[in-house]
Amino acid sequence: MGSVVSFINQKGGVAKTTTAINVSAQWAKEGKKILLVDLDPQSSATRAIFGDTDFENTIFDVLTGELEASEAIVQSEAFGIDVIPAEIMLSGIEIHLATKFGRESVLKRALAEIKENYDIVVIDCSPSLGLLTVNALIASKDIVIPICPEYFSLKGIDLILDTLKHIHTGLGHKIEVRGIIISKYRNRKIVEKVINDLRTLYTIPVFNNYIPESIVVEEAHHNHLPMLEYSPKNPAGLALANLAAEMWA
């Protein structure tokens, strides 16, 4: 109980939020109690789940000390999970945290009171390696890295691994990499080459269930439904369900 995993990639457009919210929904369907924390100023997860709903209480208020984490939780009936939503004010959070003692651990301390209420806490990180993401990493036991199978994704992995090393050395917190998720997968030679390079260059596991590119995933977002409800037999929906099972194993 109380495990925390971050979905992280400083590169945008890698289906990070798609995998985070859909894996969370699949786990919830299987009876797990899930909390999703949206830590992205763009609020992608919040918007995909709740649409244009504005929330008075968000993760911003939690990080600035205005609220306890429990006061910011909202429930999603469609996804079957609890959520701490995000808002655009997160883009200026570093100014608010600059003078705080232990500013890298604010999120970890905030989640300490509630994480044992859940089987797992999922953090959808912002596409950066700034203070917000460092807070997510310090709060996490392990991470997963969604990538699109292309050359520049490999460079992004190097940056993430360097950040993990610096956190371990400088702050004494060791974070495991649960695995790499291949998203927006197409069956092409260059894609297979990138995947082979991943397996050759890194000792990090690569999950066997690749998420194929599909417009249906975007349609599910616009309808504020998980793929398991919107189009469970779509190849992307099936892959996300299988990925969730693989990640939990």
Side-chain angles (χ1 to χ4, degrees):
M1 295 286 283
S3 179
V4 181
V5 59
S6 284
F7 284 63
I8 175 175
N9 195 322
Q10 76 279 8
K11 186 178 185 298
V14 298
K16 174 180 55 62
T17 297
T18 294
T19 52
I21 65 176
N22 279 285
V23 165
S24 295
Q26 188 67 39
W27 285 340
K29 183 183 180 183
E30 293 163 5
K32 308 296 191 296
K33 190 164 176 58
I34 308 297
L35 172 66
L36 177 81
V37 179
D38 188 354
L39 210 63
D40 184 352
Q42 298 176 46
S43 308
S44 298
T46 302
R47 298 305 177 203
I49 296 171
F50 296 107
D52 293 329
T53 303
D54 288 323
F55 293 97
E56 183 177 350
N57 299 337
T58 71
I59 191 62
F60 176 81
D61 304 299
V62 175
L63 294 175
T64 56
E66 297 296 319
L67 291 175
E68 300 293 328
S70 58
E71 298 176 274
I73 294 172
V74 291
Q75 294 179 321
S76 167
E77 184 175 339
F79 282 75
I81 62 175
D82 286 353
V83 181
I84 299 183
E87 63 170 296
I88 191 62
M89 289 291 288
L90 274 178
S91 58
I93 195 67
E94 298 200 13
I95 296 172
H96 292 270
L97 298 184
T99 59
K100 279 187 176 287
F101 176 77
R103 58 184 178 272
E104 300 91 352
S105 304
V106 172
L107 181 61
K108 180 179 181 179
R109 294 195 296 271
L111 293 178
E113 60 161 303
I114 59 171
K115 70 176 186 176
E116 296 304 323
N117 298 331
Y118 297 92
D119 292 300
I120 193 163
V121 178
V122 173
I123 303 176
D124 185 34
C125 296
S126 61
S128 74
L129 292 176
L131 185 56
L132 269 179
T133 298
V134 170
N135 262 267
L137 293 173
I138 292 294
S140 299
K141 176 185 176 184
D142 52 11
I143 66 170
V144 292
I145 308 172
I147 71 164
C148 294
E150 57 190 29
Y151 172 72
F152 291 107
S153 289
L154 301 185
K155 288 187 172 294
I157 291 172
D158 287 333
L159 288 173
I160 293 169
L161 295 180
D162 283 345
T163 301
L164 298 186
K165 288 178 184 176
H166 290 319
I167 288 175
H168 188 204
T169 302
L171 299 173
H173 181 61
K174 184 172 176 59
I175 306 147
E176 300 295 333
V177 182
R178 188 178 293 195
I180 294 170
I181 298 169
I182 304 295
S183 64
K184 297 187 175 181
Y185 173 75
R186 299 174 184 174
N187 190 15
R188 297 178 180 175
K189 287 185 178 180
I190 189 168
V191 173
E192 296 296 343
K193 182 182 184 307
V194 169
I195 292 171
N196 288 334
D197 288 345
L198 277 172
R199 297 188 188 277
T200 302
L201 294 172
Y202 304 102
T203 57
I204 305 169
V206 179
F207 291 110
N208 293 316
N209 288 283
Y210 310 148
I211 313 304
E213 191 168 40
S214 174
I215 189 62
V216 178
V217 174
E218 288 302 316
E219 292 173 2
H221 290 339
H222 285 291
N223 285 277
H224 316 303
L225 292 170
M227 283 294 288
L228 64 89
E229 294 291 341
Y230 185 75
S231 187
K233 294 183 179 179
N234 176 273
L238 291 170
L240 284 161
N242 291 333
L243 174 66
E246 184 182 4
M247 288 180 65
W248 196 272

